[in-house]
């Protein structure tokens, strides 16, 4: 129900301000990692491994409309991430895909430069762990809320945008194969830098 309400909010916001909205396509690279991998076992020393930052990608749609001197920019984006965990010569890749729905509020400050920030709603699509021979369950919450903040440059219809995405709380995924209660937990919520290139399609307020 919560996921459905957010999607309805996204669509409704674009429709309500459709008379002045601009629409476009976007895509680019992500650089970062999900949270740490923690082991748990009553018979051994537990340890934690930080993930190595790696490059992923994203592609999606955005809408942008102005209201009272600021702009509101909702987006619908597919994101693919990969995080490597390595310890004592053993490594594993955590592959992760999601739908992001940022709802950003921004301000044009100097010439083509703008700043923006807001919540980012995340819907997990798929996650798997390669290299340890152990499967992993879906994250505890398939739907979570984080945040994004950053700056961009708008040059005509072309936009360049750099943001940081962070999390408000962990979202653990647990191994589903335990040997004498041994297992591990991965925090699936990423911390990452997002570099995007966008192209504005013809909006309702453009001249024909």
């Amino acid at each position: 129900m919560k996921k459905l309400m957010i999607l309805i909010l996204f669509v409704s916001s674009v429709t309500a301000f459709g008379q002045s909205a601009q629409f476009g396509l976007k895509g680019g690279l992500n650089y970062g990692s999900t949270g740490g991998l923690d082991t748990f076992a009553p018979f051994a020393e537990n340890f934690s491994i930080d993930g190595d930052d790696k490059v992923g990608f994203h592609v999606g749609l955005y809408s942008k409309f102005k209201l009272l001197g600021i702009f509101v920019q909702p987006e619908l984006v597919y994101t693919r991430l990969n995080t490597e965990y390595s310890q004592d010569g053993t490594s594993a890749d955590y592959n992760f895909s999601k739908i992001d729905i940022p709802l950003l509020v921004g301000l044009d400050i100097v010439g083509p430069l703008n700043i923006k920030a807001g919540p980012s709603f995340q819907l997990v699509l798929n996650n798997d762990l390669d290299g340890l021979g152990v499967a992993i369950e879906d994250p505890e919450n398939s739907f979570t809320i984080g945040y994004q903040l950053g700056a961009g440059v708008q040059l005509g219809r072309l936009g360049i945008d750099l943001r940081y995405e962070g999390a408000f709380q962990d979202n653990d995924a647990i191994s589903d194969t335990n040997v004498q209660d041994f297992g591990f937990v991965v925090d699936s919520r990423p911390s990452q830098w997002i570099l995007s290139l966008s192209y504005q399609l013809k909006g309702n307020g453009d001249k024909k």
Side-chain angles (χ1 to χ4, degrees), residues 174-189:
I174 303 175
S175 59
D176 66 0
T177 302
N178 296 327
V179 179
Q180 296 180 352
D181 296 326
F182 173 80
F184 57 85
V185 178
V186 176
D187 176 18
S188 68
R189 185 76 207 199

Side-chain angles (χ1 to χ4, degrees), residues 6 33 39-40 63-64 67 103 110 134 138:
I6 295 301
S33 63
T39 65
F40 56 87
S63 177
K64 182 177 180 181
L67 176 67
L103 185 58
V110 179
V134 177
D138 291 336

Side-chain angles (χ1 to χ4, degrees), residues 112-116 150-154 160-162:
L113 181 64
N114 61 73
I115 56 175
K116 56 181 74 74
V153 176
Q154 191 69 37
I160 302 173
D161 196 72
L162 179 64

Side-chain angles (χ1 to χ4, degrees), residues 72-95:
V72 179
Q73 184 170 320
E75 300 177 353
L76 185 64
V77 181
Y78 171 82
T79 300
R80 177 73 176 179
L81 303 170
N82 177 272
T83 300
E84 182 179 13
Y85 298 97
S86 57
Q87 178 87 358
D88 298 330
T90 300
S91 64
D93 289 322
Y94 182 52
N95 303 304

Side-chain angles (χ1 to χ4, degrees), residues 104-127:
L104 307 177
V105 177
L107 179 67
D108 296 319
I109 52 175
V110 179
L113 181 64
N114 61 73
I115 56 175
K116 56 181 74 74
S120 179
F121 306 97
Q122 170 183 282
L123 176 62
V124 177
L125 297 178
N126 184 57
N127 70 315

